Amino acid sequence: MIKSKFIVVLAGNANVGKSVIFNHLTGLHQHIGNWPGKTVGKAEGTLHFRGYTIDIIDLPGIYSLSTFSIEELISREYIAVETPDLVINVVDASVLERNLFFTLQLMELEAPMVIALNQVDMAEKKGIEINYKKLEKTLGVPVIPTVAIRGTGVYELLQRCVETIEKGGEKPSRMKYGEEIEKRIKGLSETVKKVHYPYPARWTAIKLLEKDEQVEREIREVKPEIVSAAEKFAEEIEEIHGHSCSTVITSERYEIAGYIAREVQHVVPPIKPLMRERLHALTTHRILGYLIMAVLLLSIFYSIFTFGDYTSGLLSDLFYCLEPIFESIFGAGIAGELIWGGIMGGIIAGVAIALPYIIPFYLVLYFLEDSGYLSRIAFLLDNVMHRIGLHGKAFIPVMLSFGCNVPGCLGCRIMETERERLLTAFVVTLVPCAATTVIILGLVGTFVGVQWALALYIIDLVIIFLLGRLAFKALPGEPTALIMEMSDYRVPHLQTVLRQTLFRLMEFIKMAFPLIIVGSLLIKLAEVMGLLNPIASVLSPVTVTWLGLPAITGIALIFGVLRKELTLIMLATLFGTTNFAQVPNFGPVQMIVFTLVTMLYIPCIATIAALVREFGWKRALFITVFEIVFAILIGGIAFRLLMLV
C-alpha cells in the first residue's frame, strides 16, 4: 500500500539551482532550521500534489560524500540512515562532467533518484546539446531537463518524482570500476553484509578502500577483521597502480563521469567568447579584478550605510513619537520607565538600529551569491585571508560584520571546519559594525577630525590581522584549502533572493530580539534602582586611573553592552549636551581613547547571543572576556601615548 506522505531531498553541488527548485516546489510553506546538533542550515518545506503530502528537504550544496566537511557528513548520513523516499539530484547541464562526479557517488548510496538536468538553456548558449534520454538510460534514473529560474520543467520533475515513488523507487544502475577494484569491492561487500551497518554494503566497501575515517572507525567497533581486510586490499590496488587507493578510485570516478558526458553531449564550440565569459575574465583579472571589486564593495558599503543611517533615523523618530502615549498609559513612574525605557527601548533598538542595516546587507549578499560574483570575491581574497589562516570564503562573514556582527557570526557557517568557523567568528567580532561607525564618525570624526576617524579604522584592521594571526597559531588544527565552485555568471532569481533574505531575517529576529529586550530591561532596572553610579565608582580605577576618562563614562560603556551606539547617546545624556567639545576633562585624547575602547571591547548582547548559539557558552565567554581585557589594555596604552603627542 502506497503511503500518502513522502520525504524528498534535493542534493547537488553548490550554485546549481537547488534553492530555486526548492522555492518553486514549496512556495511559502517552508522554514529554516538547523540540522540536529549542528550549526548547518536546514531548509524544509511542504507541498501537496496529486493527493500526496510531500516534505522537501534541501541538503547543503556539496561536491562529494566524503567527510571533508560537516555538510558532506550530514548529507550522506541523512540519505543513508533516514532513507528519504526519493533524492532529486540537481545537475548543472552546462558543466555536466563535473556534476556527474557527485551523481556517481549518490548512485553508490543506492537511494531512489531522479535527476533534474538544470540550466539546459545555459548549456545551449555554450553550444552544448545533451541527449537526456541517453543519459537516463545510461544512469538508470529518470532525467528531466529544467530551467529552474523560469520554472520550466519543474512540474514535470515533480510528476516524475511521484511516478517513481509510486513504482516503488527503482534503484539507479551500478557503475563499475576496473576489474581489479571490483573484485575487491565484491569480496569486502560480502563480509560487510554480515554486520549490522546502515549504509549499503557496496558503498561501505568502497569507502573502506578509500580509507574513510568514520566508516573505518564504525566498522572496526563491530568487526575489526573487515578493516584489516580492506587495508590489505587497498595495498594490493596501490601496488598495481602505484598510487593511493583513494586516488585510484577518485580517478576512475572522474573517468566514468567523463566517459558518460562525452557519450551524451554534443559540443559546438562558440565562435566568440560569451558575455559572461568575458565578464569572468575581467572580474578575476590579477589587477582589474581587484579594482572592480574595490569599487563595487565601496559602493555597496556606502549605499547600505546611507540607506541604513537614513532609515534608522526615520524609524527612531517615528518610535520616539510614541513616548508620550506610553507615558499617558503607564505613567512616568517606575513601571512606566521599565516598560518604555526597558522593553520598548530594546524593541526600538532592534528595529531602528539593526534591521535597517541587516536587511539590505542580506539582499546584497544573496544577490551577489546568486549572480556568481561572491565566489569571485572569495577567489580574489584567498591569498589575503590565508595570512590569518583562513581562505577567501571568510571574507563573506567579515563583509557582513561591517553592517552588523550578528549576521557575520551566523555567516561563519559557510566555513568548512569547526576550527575555521571559530577563528572567523573571533575575527568578525572585532570588525567595526555600523553602530560602531556611528561612534567613530559621530564623536571622533566630528569633534577631533576625519583623519583620526580613518586612523582608528586602520588601527582596527591592523589589530584584526595581528589577533587573527595569533588565534590561527594558537588554535590546534590545519587550515583547509579553498574548495568553492566558480559557477557561471547569471541573472539572479529575485524570488529566491527575497526568500533567502526573509529566512535569515526571521532567524535573526527570533534569536536576538528576546535577548535584546531582556538586556535592555535589566540595564533600565539598574538605572531605576540607582545602581549605575555605584557601578561607575567601582569601575573608576579602570575608567579614570588607567584610561584617563571621566568616571561617568563607565555608565556609558555599560550601556554599550546592549547597543554600541548607546554609548554615544548615553554620553550626551550624562553630560547634558551633544556638544562634547564643551565637556570639561573630555578633550580629543579622551574622545579617541573612549572610541577605541568602545570599538574593541565586548561585542553587543545580540552578538554574544549569536556566539552562544553557534559555539556554546564557554567559547562565547572566552571571546567576550578576552576582548574586554584587550580593549582596556589597548585603551590605557593609547591614552599614555596620546598624552605624549
Coordinates of all heavy atoms in Angstrom, one line a residue, residues 185-233:
I185 N 36.0 -5.0 -4.1 CA 34.8 -4.4 -3.6 C 33.8 -5.6 -3.3 O 33.1 -5.6 -2.3 CB 34.2 -3.4 -4.6 CG1 35.0 -2.2 -4.7 CG2 32.7 -3.1 -4.2 CD1 34.6 -1.2 -5.8
K186 N 33.7 -6.5 -4.2 CA 32.8 -7.6 -4.1 C 33.1 -8.5 -2.9 O 32.3 -8.8 -2.0 CB 32.8 -8.5 -5.3 CG 31.8 -9.6 -5.3 CD 31.8 -10.4 -6.6 CE 30.8 -11.5 -6.6 NZ 30.9 -12.4 -7.7
G187 N 34.4 -8.7 -2.7 CA 34.9 -9.5 -1.5 C 34.5 -8.8 -0.2 O 34.0 -9.5 0.7
L188 N 34.8 -7.5 -0.2 CA 34.5 -6.8 1.1 C 33.0 -6.7 1.3 O 32.5 -6.8 2.5 CB 35.1 -5.4 1.0 CG 36.6 -5.2 1.3 CD1 37.0 -3.8 1.1 CD2 36.8 -5.6 2.8
S189 N 32.2 -6.5 0.2 CA 30.8 -6.3 0.4 C 30.2 -7.6 1.0 O 29.2 -7.4 1.9 CB 30.1 -6.1 -1.0 OG 30.6 -5.0 -1.6
E190 N 30.6 -8.7 0.6 CA 30.1 -10.0 1.2 C 30.2 -10.0 2.7 O 29.4 -10.5 3.4 CB 30.8 -11.2 0.5 CG 30.4 -11.4 -0.9 CD 29.0 -11.5 -1.2 OE1 28.3 -12.2 -0.4 OE2 28.5 -10.9 -2.2
T191 N 31.4 -9.6 3.2 CA 31.6 -9.6 4.7 C 30.9 -8.5 5.4 O 30.4 -8.6 6.5 CB 33.1 -9.5 5.0 OG1 33.6 -8.3 4.3 CG2 33.9 -10.7 4.5
V192 N 30.8 -7.3 4.7 CA 30.0 -6.2 5.3 C 28.5 -6.5 5.5 O 27.9 -6.1 6.5 CB 30.2 -4.9 4.4 CG1 29.3 -3.8 5.0 CG2 31.6 -4.4 4.5
K193 N 28.0 -7.3 4.5 CA 26.6 -7.7 4.6 C 26.2 -8.4 5.9 O 25.1 -8.4 6.3 CB 26.2 -8.5 3.4 CG 26.0 -7.8 2.1 CD 25.7 -8.7 1.0 CE 25.6 -8.0 -0.4 NZ 25.5 -8.9 -1.5
K194 N 27.3 -9.1 6.5 CA 27.0 -9.9 7.6 C 27.0 -9.1 8.9 O 26.7 -9.6 10.0 CB 28.1 -11.0 7.7 CG 28.1 -11.9 6.6 CD 29.3 -12.9 6.6 CE 29.3 -13.8 5.3 NZ 30.5 -14.6 5.2
V195 N 27.4 -7.8 8.9 CA 27.3 -7.0 10.1 C 26.2 -6.0 9.9 O 25.8 -5.6 8.8 CB 28.6 -6.2 10.3 CG1 29.8 -7.2 10.5 CG2 28.9 -5.2 9.2
H196 N 25.7 -5.5 11.1 CA 24.5 -4.5 11.0 C 25.1 -3.1 10.8 O 25.7 -2.6 11.7 CB 23.8 -4.6 12.3 CG 22.6 -3.6 12.4 ND1 21.5 -3.8 11.6 CD2 22.4 -2.5 13.1 CE1 20.7 -2.8 11.8 NE2 21.2 -2.0 12.7
Y197 N 25.0 -2.6 9.6 CA 25.5 -1.3 9.3 C 24.5 -0.6 8.4 O 24.0 -1.2 7.5 CB 26.9 -1.4 8.6 CG 27.6 -0.1 8.6 CD1 28.0 0.5 9.8 CD2 28.0 0.5 7.4 CE1 28.7 1.7 9.7 CE2 28.7 1.7 7.4 CZ 29.1 2.3 8.5 OH 29.8 3.4 8.5
P198 N 24.2 0.7 8.7 CA 23.1 1.4 8.0 C 23.3 1.7 6.5 O 22.4 1.9 5.8 CB 22.8 2.7 8.8 CG 24.1 2.9 9.5 CD 24.7 1.6 9.8
Y199 N 24.6 1.7 6.1 CA 24.9 2.1 4.8 C 24.9 0.8 3.9 O 25.2 -0.3 4.4 CB 26.3 2.7 4.7 CG 26.4 4.1 5.3 CD1 26.6 4.3 6.7 CD2 26.1 5.3 4.6 CE1 26.7 5.5 7.3 CE2 26.1 6.5 5.2 CZ 26.4 6.6 6.5 OH 26.4 7.9 7.1
P200 N 24.7 1.0 2.6 CA 24.8 -0.1 1.6 C 26.1 -0.8 1.7 O 27.2 -0.1 1.9 CB 24.5 0.5 0.3 CG 23.8 1.8 0.5 CD 24.3 2.2 1.9
A201 N 26.1 -2.1 1.5 CA 27.4 -2.9 1.7 C 28.4 -2.5 0.6 O 29.6 -2.3 1.0 CB 27.1 -4.4 1.6
R202 N 28.0 -2.3 -0.6 CA 28.9 -1.9 -1.7 C 29.5 -0.6 -1.4 O 30.7 -0.3 -1.5 CB 28.2 -1.9 -3.0 CG 29.1 -1.6 -4.2 CD 28.4 -1.6 -5.5 NE 29.1 -0.9 -6.6 CZ 30.1 -1.5 -7.3 NH1 30.4 -2.7 -7.0 NH2 30.7 -0.8 -8.2
W203 N 28.7 0.4 -1.0 CA 29.2 1.8 -0.7 C 30.2 1.7 0.5 O 31.2 2.3 0.5 CB 28.0 2.6 -0.3 CG 28.4 4.1 0.0 CD1 28.5 5.1 -0.8 CD2 28.7 4.6 1.3 NE1 28.9 6.2 -0.2 CE2 29.0 6.0 1.1 CE3 28.8 4.1 2.6 CZ2 29.4 6.8 2.2 CZ3 29.2 4.9 3.7 CH2 29.5 6.2 3.5
T204 N 29.9 0.9 1.5 CA 30.8 0.7 2.7 C 32.1 0.2 2.2 O 33.2 0.6 2.7 CB 30.1 -0.2 3.7 OG1 28.8 0.3 4.0 CG2 30.9 -0.2 5.0
A205 N 32.1 -0.8 1.3 CA 33.3 -1.5 0.9 C 34.2 -0.4 0.1 O 35.4 -0.4 0.3 CB 33.0 -2.6 0.0
I206 N 33.5 0.4 -0.7 CA 34.3 1.4 -1.5 C 34.9 2.4 -0.5 O 36.1 2.8 -0.6 CB 33.3 2.1 -2.5 CG1 32.9 1.1 -3.5 CG2 34.0 3.3 -3.1 CD1 31.8 1.7 -4.4
K207 N 34.1 2.8 0.5 CA 34.6 3.8 1.5 C 35.8 3.2 2.3 O 36.7 3.9 2.7 CB 33.5 4.3 2.4 CG 32.5 5.2 1.8 CD 33.3 6.5 1.4 CE 32.5 7.3 0.4 NZ 33.3 8.4 -0.2
L208 N 35.7 1.9 2.6 CA 36.8 1.3 3.3 C 38.1 1.3 2.5 O 39.2 1.5 3.0 CB 36.4 -0.1 3.7 CG 35.4 -0.3 4.9 CD1 35.0 -1.7 5.0 CD2 36.1 0.2 6.2
L209 N 37.9 1.0 1.2 CA 39.1 1.1 0.3 C 39.6 2.5 0.2 O 40.8 2.7 0.0 CB 38.7 0.5 -1.1 CG 38.5 -1.0 -1.1 CD1 38.0 -1.4 -2.5 CD2 39.7 -1.8 -0.8
E210 N 38.7 3.5 0.3 CA 39.1 4.9 0.2 C 39.7 5.4 1.6 O 40.1 6.5 1.7 CB 38.0 5.8 -0.2 CG 37.6 5.6 -1.6 CD 36.5 6.6 -2.0 OE1 35.4 6.6 -1.3 OE2 36.6 7.4 -3.0
K211 N 39.7 4.5 2.6 CA 40.1 4.8 3.9 C 39.4 6.0 4.6 O 39.9 6.9 5.1 CB 41.6 5.1 3.9 CG 42.4 3.9 3.4 CD 43.9 4.1 3.4 CE 44.7 2.9 3.0 NZ 46.1 3.1 2.8
D212 N 38.0 5.9 4.4 CA 37.2 6.9 5.1 C 37.2 6.7 6.6 O 36.9 5.6 7.1 CB 35.7 6.7 4.6 CG 34.8 7.7 5.1 OD1 34.5 7.7 6.3 OD2 34.3 8.5 4.3
E213 N 37.7 7.7 7.3 CA 38.0 7.5 8.7 C 36.8 7.1 9.6 O 36.8 6.3 10.4 CB 38.6 8.8 9.3 CG 40.0 9.1 8.8 CD 40.6 10.4 9.4 OE1 39.9 11.0 10.2 OE2 41.7 10.7 9.0
Q214 N 35.6 7.8 9.3 CA 34.4 7.5 10.0 C 33.9 6.0 9.8 O 33.6 5.3 10.8 CB 33.3 8.4 9.7 CG 32.1 8.2 10.6 CD 30.9 9.1 10.2 OE1 31.0 9.9 9.3 NE2 29.8 8.9 11.0
V215 N 33.9 5.6 8.5 CA 33.5 4.3 8.2 C 34.4 3.2 8.8 O 34.0 2.2 9.4 CB 33.4 4.1 6.7 CG1 33.0 2.6 6.4 CG2 32.3 5.0 6.1
E216 N 35.7 3.5 8.7 CA 36.7 2.6 9.3 C 36.5 2.5 10.9 O 36.5 1.3 11.4 CB 38.1 3.1 9.1 CG 38.7 2.8 7.7 CD 40.1 3.1 7.6 OE1 40.6 4.0 8.3 OE2 40.8 2.6 6.7
R217 N 36.2 3.6 11.5 CA 36.1 3.6 13.0 C 34.8 2.8 13.4 O 34.8 2.0 14.3 CB 35.9 5.0 13.5 CG 35.9 5.2 15.0 CD 36.0 6.6 15.4 NE 34.8 7.4 14.9 CZ 34.9 8.3 14.0 NH1 36.1 8.6 13.4 NH2 33.9 9.0 13.6
E218 N 33.7 3.0 12.6 CA 32.5 2.4 13.0 C 32.5 0.9 12.7 O 32.0 0.1 13.4 CB 31.3 3.1 12.2 CG 31.0 4.5 12.8 CD 30.0 5.2 11.9 OE1 29.6 4.7 10.9 OE2 29.7 6.4 12.3
I219 N 33.1 0.5 11.6 CA 33.2 -0.9 11.2 C 34.2 -1.6 12.2 O 33.9 -2.8 12.6 CB 33.7 -1.1 9.8 CG1 32.6 -0.6 8.8 CG2 34.0 -2.6 9.5 CD1 31.3 -1.5 8.8
R220 N 35.2 -1.0 12.6 CA 36.2 -1.6 13.5 C 35.6 -1.9 14.8 O 35.9 -2.9 15.5 CB 37.4 -0.6 13.7 CG 38.5 -1.3 14.5 CD 39.8 -0.4 14.6 NE 40.5 -0.4 13.3 CZ 40.7 0.6 12.5 NH1 40.2 1.8 12.8 NH2 41.5 0.5 11.4
E221 N 34.6 -1.1 15.2 CA 33.9 -1.4 16.5 C 33.1 -2.7 16.5 O 32.9 -3.3 17.5 CB 33.0 -0.2 16.9 CG 33.7 1.0 17.3 CD 32.8 2.2 17.5 OE1 31.6 2.1 17.3 OE2 33.3 3.3 17.8
V222 N 32.6 -3.0 15.3 CA 31.7 -4.2 15.2 C 32.5 -5.4 14.7 O 32.3 -6.6 15.2 CB 30.5 -4.0 14.4 CG1 29.5 -3.1 15.0 CG2 30.8 -3.5 13.0
K223 N 33.4 -5.2 13.8 CA 34.2 -6.4 13.3 C 35.5 -5.8 12.7 O 35.6 -5.5 11.4 CB 33.4 -7.1 12.2 CG 34.0 -8.5 11.9 CD 33.0 -9.4 11.3 CE 33.5 -10.8 11.2 NZ 32.6 -11.7 10.6
P224 N 36.5 -5.8 13.5 CA 37.8 -5.2 13.0 C 38.5 -6.0 11.9 O 39.3 -5.4 11.1 CB 38.7 -5.2 14.3 CG 38.0 -6.1 15.3 CD 36.6 -6.1 14.9
E225 N 38.1 -7.3 11.7 CA 38.7 -8.0 10.7 C 38.4 -7.5 9.3 O 39.2 -7.6 8.3 CB 38.2 -9.5 10.7 CG 38.6 -10.3 12.0 CD 37.6 -10.0 13.1 OE1 36.6 -9.2 12.9 OE2 37.8 -10.6 14.2
I226 N 37.2 -6.8 9.2 CA 36.9 -6.3 7.9 C 37.8 -5.1 7.5 O 38.2 -5.0 6.4 CB 35.4 -5.8 7.9 CG1 34.4 -7.0 8.2 CG2 35.0 -5.1 6.6 CD1 33.0 -6.6 8.3
V227 N 38.1 -4.3 8.5 CA 39.0 -3.1 8.2 C 40.4 -3.7 7.8 O 41.1 -3.1 6.9 CB 39.1 -2.2 9.5 CG1 40.1 -1.1 9.2 CG2 37.7 -1.7 9.8
S228 N 40.8 -4.7 8.5 CA 42.2 -5.3 8.2 C 42.2 -5.8 6.8 O 43.1 -5.6 6.0 CB 42.5 -6.4 9.2 OG 42.5 -6.0 10.5
A229 N 41.1 -6.5 6.4 CA 41.0 -7.0 5.0 C 41.0 -5.8 4.0 O 41.6 -5.9 2.9 CB 39.7 -7.8 4.9
A230 N 40.3 -4.8 4.3 CA 40.2 -3.6 3.4 C 41.6 -3.0 3.3 O 42.0 -2.6 2.1 CB 39.2 -2.6 4.0
E231 N 42.3 -2.9 4.3 CA 43.7 -2.3 4.3 C 44.6 -3.2 3.4 O 45.4 -2.7 2.6 CB 44.3 -2.3 5.7 CG 43.6 -1.2 6.5 CD 44.1 -1.2 8.0 OE1 44.7 -2.2 8.4 OE2 43.7 -0.2 8.7
K232 N 44.4 -4.5 3.5 CA 45.2 -5.4 2.7 C 44.8 -5.2 1.2 O 45.7 -5.1 0.3 CB 44.9 -6.9 3.1 CG 45.7 -7.9 2.3 CD 45.4 -9.3 3.0 CE 46.0 -10.4 2.1 NZ 45.3 -10.6 0.9
F233 N 43.5 -5.2 0.9 CA 43.1 -5.0 -0.5 C 43.6 -3.7 -1.1 O 43.9 -3.6 -2.2 CB 41.5 -5.0 -0.6 CG 40.9 -6.4 -0.4 CD1 39.6 -6.6 0.0 CD2 41.7 -7.5 -0.7 CE1 39.1 -7.9 0.2 CE2 41.2 -8.8 -0.5 CZ 39.9 -9.0 -0.1

